[in-house]
Amino acid sequence: MKQFFKNNHLSIIILFGFLIRVLFYFFGGKVYYGKAEFSIGGDTTTWVTSIINLIEHGTYSVDLNEPTGYFFRPPGYSFFIGLFYLLSGKNILLAYKLIVWAQLLLDTASIYLIYKIVNRVFFNKIFSISAAILYTFYPFSIVWAPIIYAETTSVFFLLAGTWFFVNDKLKAHYFFSGLFIGIATLTRLQIIFFFPAALLAMLFHYRNSVYAFIKFALPFSFAFILSYGLWPVRNFVLHDTIMFSQDLSAVGCWDKDIMGFRDYIFSVKTDWDPQMTQIMKGEKAEWPKASFLIPEDSVKLNKVAQMCHDCGFGFNAFMKNAGYRNGYLPEDSSCSQEISILFNELTQNQKQYNQLNFYVWVPLSNLKKCLFKSGLYNPSSRLVNLFSTLLFGYRSILILIGFAGVLLYFQRNKKIPVLFNLILFYFIFSYLSLSFVYRNIEMRFLLPADILLLIPAAYFLSFLIEKYLLKRNLV
């Protein structure tokens, strides 16, 4: 059996990873998500609508009657959905089933990719196996695989781009890496931080030769611009708008009132609950102490909270989706513009009069949340709450082990591979930008950085295996 595993270890790991994902799809997902039809989430229909409008009407837009609908999301994942929509004969329900199975296979293929990435750079079987096993059992790749969201697909393209990045056997490997990273960015915008991280990693790697840096950075940058750049070029050429990212305002629940509230609440704290739920329920919102640093703001907060409940178009869309009202608020009854102005004034007051909290304490709290989030916001049961707490704890431990792996490698080796610098820079850029700038922390936005950090975590574990187990013939 030991010899059989030695000869077929990668195939066994990949098969096991696929079976785990299939079992979760059939049995675990309904428990974890608390509903039988868990594959379709709130964001799924926006990707679907955008690509169907392109196929049926010739325009990529989430809402053909809304000018900002052209820019709701970059098209990467919508095109992925569109492929299966066409293959299914435009039967969207069949397309959904095909997409889920495609993602289960893609996530299984990611096990192979992460193994090959490590093996290509380090030529160490224990290290490569450790990385593959960590990804095989990584809970947040498993739970996202059957969900029709961009996470699984974007991670696959990210790992494909990383594999080309380190595969110097191919002459044009940096070009193909930039191409795949551009596609990954069009699928999940947060992957854009790979681009500056890769350039900085190459600069460190080729720091003794400007010619070598330019030689490899140029094809990588050109390919990235060629793929990702199609999005801003399309926006400018077809719609006369400079747009590099996305504009969510075309969908009712992301109207001006919600965006203003979001900017304000993230200027004083890390989460928008309980205030969001209190407003939707018509209860008195309990604002944090930082909100009352300017005494006049208390009156303005009470006023704007009531307006949000009564005539905020975005808030009422959330209320309808949450079951707090029967229908959507008529657009001609909306006061979202006035709400947005009030929240913008409140946010500016925080920036001007509460700078330490705005620029330091809130971002640091965000960073703490990124590293040590302890569970789901609304678990479907006590069992799921306990399980999610364990999973997030496991995630935090792996992050710490990943950093330990980076430090250990830096300590034991004078020459640092470009891969480790890339992972470290990408992790730092992702976490700091989300914590200090974007501030709307969703763990799925951190999934690409977390998965790349599994590689140095695997290095640390393989070091322990080789030093303490193999030398003592314990494995």
Side-chain angles (χ1 to χ4, degrees):
M1 180 63 70
K2 185 176 181 180
Q3 189 64 34
F4 178 79
F5 180 80
K6 184 177 180 180
N7 295 335
N8 302 278
H9 59 275
L10 182 56
S11 298
I12 294 171
I13 292 169
I14 290 173
L15 178 60
F16 204 76
F18 179 67
L19 290 175
I20 291 172
R21 283 151 180 78
V22 170
L23 288 172
F24 179 80
Y25 173 48
F26 280 113
F27 304 106
K30 63 185 69 175
V31 177
Y32 184 80
Y33 290 104
K35 54 184 179 180
E37 299 296 330
F38 59 86
S39 292
I40 301 171
D43 290 347
T44 303
T45 53
T46 59
W47 281 301
V48 172
T49 302
S50 296
I51 194 63
I52 289 179
N53 280 336
L54 177 62
I55 293 170
E56 303 297 341
H57 304 288
T59 302
Y60 180 80
S61 174
V62 74
D63 186 345
L64 295 173
N65 298 314
E66 173 57 52
T68 59
Y70 303 125
F71 322 111
F72 184 73
R73 292 190 191 279
Y77 192 59
S78 286
F79 274 61
F80 179 76
I81 291 173
L83 172 65
F84 294 97
Y85 178 68
L86 293 175
L87 287 174
S88 66
K90 299 185 179 180
N91 183 334
I92 192 61
L93 295 180
L94 176 58
Y96 284 157
K97 294 179 181 179
L98 293 176
I99 290 166
V100 169
W101 281 102
Q103 290 185 176
L104 294 175
L105 290 171
L106 280 180
D107 203 47
T108 304
S110 291
I111 300 171
Y112 175 81
L113 283 174
I114 203 167
Y115 177 94
K116 286 297 183 179
I117 290 167
V118 174
N119 196 52
R120 179 70 196 92
V121 176
F122 300 98
F123 305 99
N124 184 312
K125 187 173 289 187
I126 298 296
F127 186 4
S128 304
I129 292 173
S130 299
I133 290 175
L134 282 182
Y135 190 89
T136 296
F137 292 99
Y138 191 61
F140 297 101
S141 68
I142 296 171
V143 301
W144 280 112
I147 308 299
I148 304 177
Y149 272 33
E151 273 52 56
T152 296
T153 308
S154 63
V155 165
F156 172 80
F157 286 127
L158 170 77
L159 291 175
T162 305
W163 182 77
F164 279 112
F165 191 83
V166 300
N167 192 3
D168 54 7
K169 282 187 175 181
L170 298 174
K171 188 173 182 180
H173 68 110
Y174 279 130
F175 176 86
F176 289 114
S177 176
L179 202 65
F180 274 94
I181 295 303
I183 295 170
T185 302
L186 290 176
T187 308
R188 168 54 65 199
L189 266 175
Q190 285 74 14
I191 292 177
I192 198 170
F193 300 115
F194 189 104
F195 180 65
L199 291 179
L200 192 55
M202 281 192 277
L203 183 62
F204 268 74
H205 192 68
Y206 300 111
R207 58 187 177 275
N208 295 323
S209 173
V210 175
Y211 171 77
F213 169 71
I214 295 175
K215 177 183 177 182
F216 296 119
L218 278 180
F220 174 80
S221 302
F222 175 74
F224 177 82
I225 293 170
L226 186 66
S227 51
Y228 163 72
L230 291 174
W231 174 241
V233 167
R234 170 261 190 190
N235 295 334
F236 181 74
V237 172
L238 296 184
H239 304 292
D240 198 28
T241 299
I242 298 175
M243 175 63 65
F244 289 90
S245 54
Q246 61 188 22
D247 186 345
L248 300 179
S249 62
V251 173
C253 61
W254 296 113
D255 203 22
K256 296 180 180 65
D257 57 330
I258 287 290
M259 301 306 286
F261 167 76
R262 193 181 72 167
D263 289 343
Y264 172 70
I265 205 68
F266 293 148
S267 74
V268 293
K269 60 195 289 286
T270 59
D271 300 300
W272 67 4
D273 260 332
Q275 289 77 21
M276 179 71 176
T277 301
Q278 289 168 342
I279 291 173
M280 289 195 297
K281 289 182 176 180
E283 300 172 352
K284 183 176 176 60
E286 299 172 358
W287 304 101
K289 291 182 180 179
S291 295
F292 302 109
L293 186 68
I294 302 95
E296 296 80 5
D297 282 359
S298 60
V299 176
K300 195 176 291 186
L301 281 167
N302 290 331
K303 176 185 177 181
V304 76
Q306 191 63 50
M307 290 173 66
C308 288
H309 179 271
D310 294 343
C311 56
F313 190 79
F315 270 92
N316 277 265
F318 270 99
M319 289 161 63
K320 192 267 181 185
N321 294 336
Y324 296 127
R325 62 172 293 151
N326 294 326
Y328 291 106
L329 182 78
E331 288 195 42
D332 57 6
S333 301
S334 169
C335 62
S336 292
Q337 182 65 38
E338 293 85 349
I339 291 171
S340 176
I341 292 171
L342 287 171
F343 274 127
N344 287 339
E345 292 173 357
L346 291 164
T347 303
Q348 288 303 315
N349 283 344
Q350 290 295 319
K351 291 180 179 180
Q352 183 175 354
Y353 301 111
N354 200 7
Q355 295 182 0
L356 186 63
N357 187 64
F358 180 84
Y359 291 106
V360 179
W361 299 127
V362 172
L364 288 178
S365 296
N366 286 335
L367 187 58
K368 179 183 176 182
K369 176 183 174 181
C370 288
L371 295 169
F372 303 110
K373 181 177 169 64
S374 58
L376 297 173
Y377 287 124
N378 296 302
S380 57
S381 67
R382 289 185 178 181
L383 179 62
V384 171
N385 185 42
L386 174 62
F387 185 62
S388 66
T389 299
L390 293 174
L391 292 186
F392 279 105
Y394 175 66
R395 171 185 173 271
S396 297
I397 290 171
L398 280 179
I399 290 173
L400 295 176
I401 294 174
F403 275 106
V406 171
L407 294 175
L408 179 65
Y409 195 94
F410 285 6
Q411 179 189 7
R412 299 180 70 216
N413 300 272
K414 292 183 179 179
K415 188 175 181 181
I416 307 302
V418 66
L419 176 63
F420 266 35
N421 281 327
L422 168 65
I423 292 170
L424 187 59
F425 292 142
Y426 180 53
F427 187 93
I428 292 171
F429 288 163
S430 295
Y431 271 63
L432 291 186
S433 62
L434 285 171
S435 298
F436 283 79
V437 182
Y438 187 61
R439 299 191 179 211
N440 183 23
I441 308 297
E442 293 190 40
M443 292 299 109
R444 59 196 175 107
F445 299 161
L446 300 166
L447 185 63
D450 291 351
I451 284 173
L452 286 181
L453 199 66
L454 293 178
I455 293 175
Y459 172 76
F460 185 85
L461 295 176
S462 65
F463 168 78
L464 295 180
I465 291 170
E466 290 175 340
K467 184 172 183 178
Y468 296 106
L469 298 181
L470 290 180
K471 286 187 177 180
R472 300 179 185 181
N473 295 317
L474 296 177
V475 293

